[in-house]
Amino acid sequence: MVGGTLEVTLVEARSLKNMDFIVKMNPYVVIQYGNQKHTSTTAKGQGTKPVWNEKFRFDAEYHDGEDHKYMLLFRIMDTRKLLNHDVFVGESKMYVKDVIASGTEKGKAELGVAKYRVVLQDKTYAGEISVALAFSLNS
């Protein structure tokens, strides 16, 4: 088993389904890789076109096996202070096994900014999220 760091750059989202009808949404993203989670800052008042440009690091290991262990989950939420609970906006899944495998072989691998579909729980389209990845071996 080979270990390294998976760096996720959360760039922006576009055409999100508007969950606030009176004011602009205040979206944030919970990023999960295995049992590790990171939460972005809240893009206050940015509505359906939030921009984050934030980087998050996850410990990652490569061992040829189950693909589901290499899934990044992006859950976009809308902060609702008046309701005392946040609202699900959509999610996107990204499988990163190939990036980690390539980085394990070469020492480092990158995947430039790319757009991924955001879907609701019923799998209907709810916008897109832009993300970049890099994996590097531990020294």
Side-chain angles (χ1 to χ4, degrees):
M1 208 170 353
V2 180
T5 301
L6 179 64
E7 184 178 84
V8 177
T9 303
L10 174 64
V11 180
E12 65 183 4
R14 291 284 178 252
S15 303
L16 295 177
K17 184 168 182 173
N18 192 1
M19 298 298 178
D20 272 340
F21 301 107
I22 299 170
V23 296
K24 285 191 173 187
M25 290 193 310
N26 298 304
Y28 66 94
V29 181
V30 178
I31 306 168
Q32 183 172 353
Y33 180 71
N35 62 1
Q36 303 169 73
K37 280 186 186 180
H38 291 291
T39 302
S40 74
T41 58
T42 300
K44 293 181 181 175
Q46 292 190 31
T48 60
K49 302 177 199 171
V51 176
W52 292 281
N53 286 319
E54 294 180 46
K55 291 183 188 279
F56 303 92
R57 294 175 190 263
F58 296 89
D59 294 327
E61 295 178 338
Y62 180 72
H63 45 88
D64 201 15
E66 302 169 46
D67 289 347
H68 71 274
K69 292 183 179 181
Y70 297 98
M71 182 184 74
L72 272 171
L73 175 64
F74 299 87
R75 290 184 58 85
I76 303 171
M77 304 295 291
D78 178 26
T79 303
R80 295 272 182 96
K81 291 186 177 170
L82 295 177
L83 298 177
N84 272 347
H85 73 280
D86 295 346
V87 175
F88 176 77
V89 175
E91 69 180 17
S92 186
K93 294 177 182 176
M94 182 179 191
Y95 291 90
V96 297
K97 183 177 182 179
D98 291 342
V99 173
I100 294 173
S102 180
T104 299
E105 184 179 305
K106 298 175 183 173
K108 184 170 185 169
E110 295 182 5
L111 181 62
V113 177
K115 295 177 184 177
Y116 299 89
R117 291 175 58 93
V118 172
V119 295
L120 299 174
Q121 289 176 332
D122 66 2
K123 304 299 180 212
T124 57
Y125 179 79
E128 55 193 28
I129 190 167
S130 295
V131 176
L133 295 177
F135 175 81
S136 56
L137 289 174
N138 291 337
S139 35

